[in-house]
Amino acid sequence: MLKTYKYADLTTAELNTLVQRNVDAANEIRTVVETIIDTVQQQGDRALFDFAQRFDQVQIDKLYLNKAELAQIATALLPEQKTALEVAYKNIWKFHESQLKTEDKVETMPGVTCWRELRPIEKVGLYIPGGTAVLPSTFLMLGIPARIAGCKEIVVCSPPGKNGKVNAFIAYVAQLLDVDRICLVGGAQAIAAMAYGTESITKVDKIFGPGNQFVTKAKTIIQSTTITAIDMPAGPSEVLVIADETANPAYIAADLLAQAEHGIDSQAVLVATSATLVEQTIFQLQKQLPVLPRAEIAAKAIEHSYAVVVNSLDEAMQFSNQYAPEHLILATENWQQITGSIINAGSVFLGNQTPESVGDYASGTNHTLPTSAYAKAYSGVSVDSFVKKITFQHLTKEGIQNIGPHVEILADLEGLHAHRNAVSVRTQQ
Amino acid sequence: MLKTYKYADLTTAELNTLVQRNVDAANEIRTVVETIIDTVQQQGDRALFDFAQRFDQVQIDKLYLNKAELAQIATALLPEQKTALEVAYKNIWKFHESQLKTEDKVETMPGVTCWRELRPIEKVGLYIPGGTAVLPSTFLMLGIPARIAGCKEIVVCSPPGKNGKVNAFIAYVAQLLDVDRICLVGGAQAIAAMAYGTESITKVDKIFGPGNQFVTKAKTIIQSTTITAIDMPAGPSEVLVIADETANPAYIAADLLAQAEHGIDSQAVLVATSATLVEQTIFQLQKQLPVLPRAEIAAKAIEHSYAVVVNSLDEAMQFSNQYAPEHLILATENWQQITGSIINAGSVFLGNQTPESVGDYASGTNHTLPTSAYAKAYSGVSVDSFVKKITFQHLTKEGIQNIGPHVEILADLEGLHAHRNAVSVRTQQ
């Protein structure tokens, strides 16, 4: 259980293999997904009804649930469940709201003023997966920043359950977000419908949300063949826990298992400053794992997870930066000494009282994060993901006189005479 | 010259056709580009030497120019050329520096604190095109935000000229940016080299820069097959000018031509509040176009450009938002009344004294912008493009007690017992 490596003993090649995740495992499904996309593009709603029957095993007579229907479904929730969703809603709203900032105007030269203004992306599509674990939390994580950004149209797709509906949690979140309808469409067909539009589903400018390999492949194809953008490529979820002697092995084990239960392809990595700590954690894993309802899934994920023993927290952070984890837990009282050296990570959980689960649901941060080492160049979803920053510039007559001669020289230098002339017609009058 | 449509007469279908740009014209070159990428991945430097000979018709004995060599090349510049580049450098730096902001910590619940910290993307690759127009301005537009962000390694690729070198302007910008070397690699092979790394060229986390259809196709392939990110997809450049009776037809014509001279696939659209204004602009185009050194290119671009006559500035803005232009010029003294209704645009030029050329070179805004209606969901390049925003959260013992019960309910609700347990092990002690 939990293969263990010693950092100092690893060659560069071994290290590279260890931090490598397969980013394109789903390439063999490309043709299947392309066919689904083509069918939706050509047949619209009719294709979506057919796919619901074929893939979700349910015959639906309408492709969406409206506000009244959602309100009815949501009545099944218990009061404490509503409260929990509301607490999550408030925390996520409060943190994301702080991301919305007005920017200052900058006078770069006398008479030359530049600035940026935010504009919401007009139409966004949110994909909320169904399947083994229904995820109302994902709906909150995508819907709240979309609302804060001020997106005019929010299209929501989620696969229908066996009863042709969505569950009560999803329905209640739709109420909290004041969403007009939820479209009963799942899988690659949902992505295609939002990218191309159908009779019932509005074509959107950007598509957000996690999903299985079909959803992910569809998003990648849409991104490279249309002007519809996507939030980011999504791979299996992962956590990296850095722990020293101030950590609690029972907590570490619980955090590794929370990651492992997501799916058999999830990865949970422990980077510990001693071999003893790894042994103690394995002891706790053996104790906690068997009693989990999803023990079988978690056990398989733990099988291809591993531990690395390092000599110091600095060495741990070196490894972590090479791995570039989606979730990084600093299970140490000494976290303040190493946060400055974090280079690559999606979201970071500081100290022994901050399990990843709080960020998954309710601390306020977003749980839509870059996996598979995408954290080297991508950020998680935020209000930024739902807006464009448009640049503006204004020149006075003084401004064009000041900057004009330099622009003329630069235009000449690039051999672009009409660029020069656009200045000259103004300055020579 | 300049086909003219009346906005009120256009059907939805005609309107959609008019604003449509071809986003995947280059799909037929996919196989060629894939072969180039594979060759670079397999043969490294050797492939790059071969491609330089094949595509750039030059035999080079070293794949890069170092600082001393660049300094030597830069001595060819005239003092006023240096000054012009320095003015551009200062303005771009000043505006982009203002984009770098520290964010506040937010206590979402007592004992639960969330915030974001910026981290530079560690290794970035900048592609500076050669070809018909050499673009030192692009080097400034990409290099300055990379420096402000604090990227540790900046790899620069640009195709070698017939003398096996880069020109003096590029060399001088390299000095201004304090770049160690310029790699003499162009085209799809440059993108492949930066994505996979070779003996001489460092593998990077994100690739920036415009280029021909081979470069663009290579970037799209890299984005969907590796974890290396790209700035954005790039299509032919375009401008949309909104003009009313306060505009100057000579200025409008000059601005349209500045766009048209970029390439035969460039598009210049005029949206005017009267047919007379369109006629006056055509008169000016006929006067200004023939004397341009790049008249042939500009004439072809103007051929597939057009004018739209609208009844009001509001109607003009409706059309513009549907077009989603890379560059939007508001050629009117009344620009303040319509900037609020701009939804989709890359960069906006306000009033009659603000030609697009100033933004191309030196006003301070970035000229790497979303084309082809990508402005509906994408922003131009900024310091944001060179950083990641990592979320952090810290809980005190009080914090986990406050949020814990709600997270437990939410975890139950999603059927994720190990997620619940990661909280319980902490709160039940």
Side-chain angles (χ1 to χ4, degrees), chain A residues 108 119 137 251 255 258 261 339 342-344 347-348 352 363 365 379 388-389 391 393 414 419 426 429, chain B residues 108 119 137 251 255 258 261 339 342-344 347-348 352 363 365 379 388 391 393 414 419 426 429:
Chain A
T108 53
R119 291 292 187 277
S137 56
Y251 297 1
D255 291 341
E261 78 172 336
T339 52
I342 296 170
I343 301 172
N344 302 317
S347 192
V348 187
N352 291 315
S363 63
T365 59
S379 308
K388 299 147 309 190
K389 296 188 179 176
T391 48
Q393 51 245 288
E414 296 194 351
H419 278 63
R426 287 167 167 99
Q429 283 202 327
Chain B
T108 53
R119 292 291 188 277
S137 56
Y251 298 0
D255 291 340
E261 77 172 338
T339 53
I342 295 170
I343 300 173
N344 302 317
S347 193
V348 187
N352 291 315
S363 63
T365 60
S379 308
K388 298 146 311 187
T391 48
Q393 51 245 288
E414 296 194 351
H419 278 64
R426 286 166 167 100
Q429 282 203 328

Side-chain angles (χ1 to χ4, degrees), chain B residues 74-114:
Chain B
T75 57
L77 276 196
L78 301 172
E80 65 268 28
Q81 293 175 324
K82 288 190 180 180
T83 304
L85 286 167
E86 286 159 16
V87 167
Y89 180 90
K90 276 182 205 155
N91 288 353
I92 299 166
W93 189 283
K94 194 170 176 185
F95 178 56
H96 284 73
E97 201 176 28
S98 76
Q99 296 163 359
L100 202 60
K101 292 237 164 65
T102 313
E103 304 197 2
D104 294 331
K105 294 188 177 183
V106 178
E107 192 170 28
T108 53
M109 280 183 107
V112 179
T113 308
C114 303

Side-chain angles (χ1 to χ4, degrees), chain A residues 3 44 50 54 62 71 82 97 208 235 246 264 310 355 379 392:
Chain A
K3 266 162 287 173
D50 290 350
R54 175 134 62 108
K62 191 164 64 99
K82 287 190 180 182
E97 201 175 29
F208 296 79
T246 64
I264 56 167
V310 291
S379 308
F392 287 79

Side-chain angles (χ1 to χ4, degrees), chain B residues 351-391:
Chain B
N352 291 315
Q353 301 301 328
T354 315
E356 187 206 306
S357 341
V358 301
D360 289 341
Y361 293 115
S363 63
T365 60
N366 208 289
H367 80 193
T368 312
L369 296 164
T371 59
S372 316
Y374 280 111
K376 289 183 178 181
Y378 291 81
S379 308
V381 162
S382 70
V383 174
D384 301 352
S385 318
F386 291 87
V387 300
K388 298 146 311 187
K389 295 189 178 175
I390 301 178
T391 48

